[in-house]
Amino acid sequence: MIEAIKEIGEIIIQRERKDLMEIMVEDPNINGKYTQVVTIILEKRGNQVSFEEVDREEYDSSKKMRYLYRSGAANGPDFSPTAKLTEPQKTFTNKILGWANRVLQKNADLSPAEKELLHSLKRELEAHRDRIIGEIQKIREEIPRKEGIFITLKLRDENEEYYPGDIPLFREIFTLGVQGGNKKRGGQFATCSICNEKKDVILGDGVYSFFTIDKPGFIAGGFREEVAWKNFPICLDCKQALEEGKKYLEANLTFNFAGLRYQLIPKFIMGKENVAQDILDLFTDSPKLLSLKKESRDRFLGDEQEILLLLSQAQDNLTLNFLFLLKQQSAERILAFIEDVFPSHLKEIFEAKDEIDHAFQQNFTFRTIRNFFSKSDPAKRDNDLDGYFLDLVDRVFKGRPVDYNFILRFLMNKIRSSFVNDQYFGPTTIEGVMVVNFLERMKLIKMEVMAMDERLFDPLFKKYGATFETPLKRGLFLLGALTQLLLRVQYNRRESTPPFLKNLKGLRMDERDFLGLLPRVENKLQEYDSFDQGKQKLAKEAAHYLLEAGNNWKMSTDEMNFYFVAGMNLLSEVTPFIYSEKNEKEKILVEEDV
């Protein structure tokens, strides 16, 4: 993964001809959250400054180099007097005033004029601390919390305004700070862990925050900082490319997948020279990527999937890696890393998706699967099934088998929850059948297929591949459809909740329950004088398949109830086979839902 990110960084540096300063500077608004800028404005006269006011302005991407932002230690100053706002007092004290203090303490080789300017700056910031913090607090309260703010300085000199990046002294301090921090943590001649070349190496921390040296287990040789570079030795060239690659991924190759954030990382198997130019452009052309995100229409893989649809047509001379990250304050946690997905397998996924769309006349997406793998209990505030969902995604992308009974457990949990809470569970059930059918078409679950004589509903079952290719599955499905017809009759007669629902036991029926259900349904239909020829055909077919299934069904409770409830909610697929010409009364009973 690290090598792939570094390679992207090298391409961007080469394409855009970025210099060292452009590589070191970070965009404070890279995720689109920090849209507001608070400027602490000081009037400059010679080497003296005087505080003027605190102002607010909109973030301007063209001023990225002028803001001169680069994050530093969480509780210490950054590398310039520009910082993201957390708490007004804390940010001003630690980040803005703290920067001035650190610069004066650690830069002994400053000229007298430079020291005079910085001392004047520090005095003014300290003298007006309370007013500045108060103004920042007031602006924070005026702006919705979802909008982030960062703070910076602005010096006015006659009719000109200067941000930190416009001031040569600040730029020099910034560069020395970044490079000095690198050299402090390494400076050894050893093999770089990325390019494998013998070079002067440093510790490669600070790029991704899931790698740190301030916790046990991350430091070779104990908590001795002088040997910490051995954990992740990296040369300066590779670190710069890695940083640039990370910034580019965050800005351009970060997408949403069924509500989870991921970065798409290409890995060129035989080098980027062997990748078609139009495919390479998909990863390295920022305007093109932005256009793809805006034009995304099918949204199969969650939110923004157009790029993956295009990549599914590429040759297998590259692989795709999906890095799912969860940001928690300043830390990052890897939720999943799905690596080495070939474009040809993406193509198979899209082909299976198209077959599902055609069979169900609905748009199947990974959000369909996500609906069953988000919360184990609807009452829970946070999602607790992310791990299960991402493991399933990994299996789909890698073609690894899936435990069918495990999947059915989660499908039925949601279906039962909707059913027992008197919610309309039809769409949920159909989505569950779509999930099973998709996994079967991807050959991730192995369905039993048995030879059967041709009968009335064969065209319906063939439509769904191997999903209904045993007598028991067909029998339960048709029994579910017949039961749904009875429920509709009861509802139309009573205009209230059908009393027969209690016989379904919250969709936790076993073999004995199902065997006794068919005669009960037939008797009730006869009592209502509604056991017409269409229902008789349906009952006959259900009985045939259940008899053919024999005794001692080797099927879990979840699976039996799943096929039963599938029949209940795919009734519209069944009725054309039993009601070729319906009168108005029959039409109402068949087509109205409970």
Side-chain angles (χ1 to χ4, degrees):
M1 179 189 82
I2 296 296
E3 290 179 11
I5 297 172
K6 170 241 180 183
E7 189 166 14
I8 283 289
E10 288 176 335
I11 295 172
I12 300 307
I13 291 171
Q14 183 178 4
R15 276 198 169 196
E16 300 181 9
R17 298 179 180 176
K18 292 196 171 187
D19 59 25
L20 180 59
M21 181 65 72
E22 290 177 296
I23 296 170
M24 290 190 295
V25 169
E26 298 173 359
D27 185 351
N29 191 40
I30 194 166
N31 60 5
K33 179 182 177 181
Y34 288 84
T35 59
Q36 303 295 321
V37 186
V38 170
T39 55
I40 301 171
I41 302 173
L42 303 109
E43 188 75 23
K44 182 177 181 295
R45 295 183 182 86
N47 294 322
Q48 297 294 316
V49 297
S50 58
F51 172 73
E52 289 289 322
E53 60 179 332
V54 175
D55 198 8
R56 166 186 161 190
E57 62 185 49
E58 296 285 331
Y59 165 81
D60 184 348
S61 59
S62 67
K63 294 179 180 178
K64 184 183 81 169
M65 297 303 297
R66 301 181 71 188
Y67 296 139
L68 201 67
Y69 172 74
R70 185 182 175 97
S71 59
N75 295 315
D78 293 336
F79 290 93
S80 75
T82 300
K84 292 181 178 179
L85 176 65
T86 53
E87 301 171 19
Q89 181 171 350
K90 182 179 178 181
T91 302
F92 176 77
T93 302
N94 292 350
K95 299 292 185 179
I96 307 302
L97 190 56
W99 174 84
N101 286 327
R102 185 179 68 176
V103 168
L104 286 167
Q105 290 170 4
K106 294 192 174 183
N107 290 269
D109 55 346
L110 292 172
S111 70
E114 292 170 339
K115 288 182 179 179
E116 184 181 353
L117 174 64
L118 290 169
H119 276 295
S120 176
L121 174 64
K122 177 187 172 184
R123 283 195 303 271
E124 284 296 295
L125 292 176
E126 287 177 334
H128 298 277
R129 177 203 299 258
D130 293 342
R131 180 182 168 187
I132 293 171
I133 293 173
E135 291 292 328
I136 295 172
Q137 181 65 48
K138 182 179 178 182
I139 293 172
R140 174 68 279 180
E141 292 170 357
E142 292 172 350
I143 298 173
R145 279 285 169 183
K146 64 180 181 180
E147 290 189 59
I149 299 172
F150 65 91
I151 305 172
T152 191
L153 301 182
K154 188 191 288 186
L155 301 188
R156 285 178 178 162
D157 190 353
E158 296 182 352
N159 295 323
E160 298 293 331
E161 291 185 337
Y162 300 94
Y163 291 90
D166 300 326
I167 302 169
L169 173 60
F170 288 8
R171 289 169 65 92
E172 183 181 353
I173 292 170
F174 176 90
T175 303
L176 290 173
V178 175
Q179 292 182 330
N182 284 334
K183 292 175 181 177
K184 179 183 175 182
R185 312 186 92 171
Q188 304 291 324
F189 188 76
T191 301
C192 172
S193 59
I194 297 182
C195 66
N196 292 319
E197 294 183 14
K198 286 274 189 179
K199 292 183 177 180
D200 286 331
V201 298
I202 58 172
L203 175 63
D205 67 333
V207 181
Y208 279 101
S209 52
F210 49 74
F211 174 82
T212 177
I213 64 167
D214 61 358
K215 292 180 176 61
F218 280 95
I219 300 182
F223 283 98
R224 293 168 54 203
E225 190 171 359
E226 65 271 18
V227 296
W229 62 270
K230 294 180 180 179
N231 287 271
F232 186 13
I234 179 174
C235 67
L236 280 172
D237 291 337
C238 284
K239 184 170 186 181
Q240 289 167 5
L242 185 59
E243 288 178 345
E244 188 61 30
K246 182 193 175 187
K247 287 192 290 185
Y248 188 82
L249 288 175
E250 291 178 341
N252 299 285
L253 290 172
T254 298
F255 303 92
N256 285 316
F257 186 101
L260 295 172
R261 190 176 70 97
Y262 79 96
Q263 292 177 2
L264 178 62
I265 307 169
K267 184 177 180 182
F268 308 114
I269 298 174
M270 296 177 289
K272 58 184 180 292
E273 298 80 10
N274 296 297
V275 178
Q277 190 60 47
D278 57 338
I279 297 297
L280 191 60
D281 287 344
L282 287 179
F283 299 109
T284 57
D285 189 331
S286 299
K288 190 167 188 174
L289 283 166
L290 181 61
S291 175
L292 282 172
K293 289 182 180 182
K294 288 181 178 178
E295 292 174 4
S296 179
R297 56 186 183 278
D298 207 14
R299 296 181 180 269
F300 169 45
L301 295 172
D303 289 318
E304 300 139 346
Q305 64 82 43
E306 190 72 14
I307 186 172
L308 295 182
L309 181 58
L310 292 172
L311 288 170
S312 68
Q313 309 302 318
Q315 298 295 316
D316 282 346
N317 49 15
L318 78 158
T319 62
L320 305 171
N321 302 278
F322 299 79
L323 177 62
F324 289 86
L325 286 173
L326 177 64
K327 285 204 171 187
Q328 297 172 317
Q329 297 179 341
S330 60
E332 291 172 312
R333 181 163 66 91
I334 297 178
L335 293 178
F337 181 52
I338 302 174
E339 58 182 329
D340 295 333
V341 178
F342 285 94
S344 59
H345 194 68
L346 271 185
K347 186 177 181 181
E348 293 174 10
I349 294 173
F350 278 101
E351 287 173 349
K353 173 259 195 310
D354 290 340
E355 291 172 0
I356 298 297
D357 289 354
H358 178 73
F360 289 85
Q361 294 298 298
Q362 292 187 38
N363 185 32
F364 177 76
T365 76
F366 265 89
R367 278 192 179 275
T368 310
I369 300 175
R370 177 69 164 158
N371 289 339
F372 298 94
F373 289 89
S374 55
K375 297 179 181 179
S376 57
D377 185 339
K380 289 194 173 184
R381 194 179 100 182
D382 299 321
N383 294 332
D384 61 341
L385 299 179
D386 289 347
Y388 288 146
F389 172 69
L390 289 172
D391 178 68
L392 181 54
V393 171
D394 182 273
R395 291 174 181 275
V396 172
F397 278 13
K398 296 290 203 49
R400 295 192 294 123
V402 173
D403 186 323
Y404 185 34
N405 287 321
F406 179 80
I407 297 298
L408 283 173
R409 187 179 110 204
F410 288 94
L411 299 184
M412 285 307 301
N413 279 350
K414 188 168 180 63
I415 292 170
R416 285 192 189 105
S417 176
S418 299
F419 180 79
V420 299
N421 289 301
D422 294 325
Q423 298 172 352
Y424 184 48
F425 67 104
T428 302
T429 302
I430 293 172
E431 285 184 347
V433 180
M434 292 170 77
V435 170
V436 169
N437 202 230
F438 172 74
L439 295 175
E440 188 277 321
R441 290 176 190 270
M442 290 296 300
K443 297 180 173 56
L444 301 180
I445 52 178
K446 188 175 181 180
M447 291 289 192
E448 183 182 4
V449 176
M450 297 178 62
M452 292 173 281
D453 295 335
E454 286 192 22
R455 298 192 65 87
L456 177 62
F457 291 101
D458 275 15
L460 166 61
F461 294 125
K462 296 295 183 185
K463 174 180 173 182
Y464 298 108
T467 305
F468 298 100
E469 288 303 302
T470 69
L472 180 53
K473 292 175 182 177
R474 291 186 177 189
L476 291 170
F477 178 91
L478 296 176
L479 177 57
L482 184 66
T483 304
Q484 183 70 0
L485 284 173
L486 169 60
L487 296 174
R488 292 183 179 184
V489 170
Q490 285 192 334
Y491 181 80
N492 277 279
R493 300 288 175 87
R494 295 168 170 264
E495 295 187 354
S496 62
T497 302
F500 197 81
L501 277 173
K502 67 178 182 295
N503 290 280
L504 305 188
K505 297 185 174 181
L507 300 180
R508 295 184 184 277
M509 294 176 283
D510 58 20
E511 179 178 346
R512 180 182 296 179
D513 296 322
F514 283 116
L515 288 173
L517 190 64
L518 180 58
R520 281 201 196 96
V521 172
E522 291 177 341
N523 289 338
K524 278 295 176 184
L525 287 169
Q526 288 171 348
E527 287 179 17
Y528 283 102
D529 194 23
S530 186
F531 199 36
D532 54 51
Q533 288 186 356
K535 298 183 185 70
Q536 290 174 32
K537 286 182 185 178
L538 182 54
K540 179 181 177 181
E541 291 299 306
H544 169 82
Y545 284 119
L546 291 175
L547 285 171
E548 191 174 348
N551 297 320
N552 299 318
W553 301 343
K554 294 180 180 179
M555 186 180 282
S556 68
T557 300
D558 283 337
E559 191 173 5
M560 285 187 285
N561 285 270
F562 176 76
Y563 282 99
F564 175 80
V565 79
M568 291 180 68
N569 290 285
L570 286 171
L571 178 61
S572 62
E573 299 284 316
V574 173
T575 52
F577 291 89
I578 57 176
Y579 292 109
S580 55
E581 294 180 3
K582 302 185 289 292
N583 60 38
E584 279 303 306
K585 184 177 179 181
E586 288 174 328
K587 184 176 180 181
I588 291 172
L589 294 180
V590 169
E591 294 184 354
E592 283 192 358
D593 205 346
V594 178

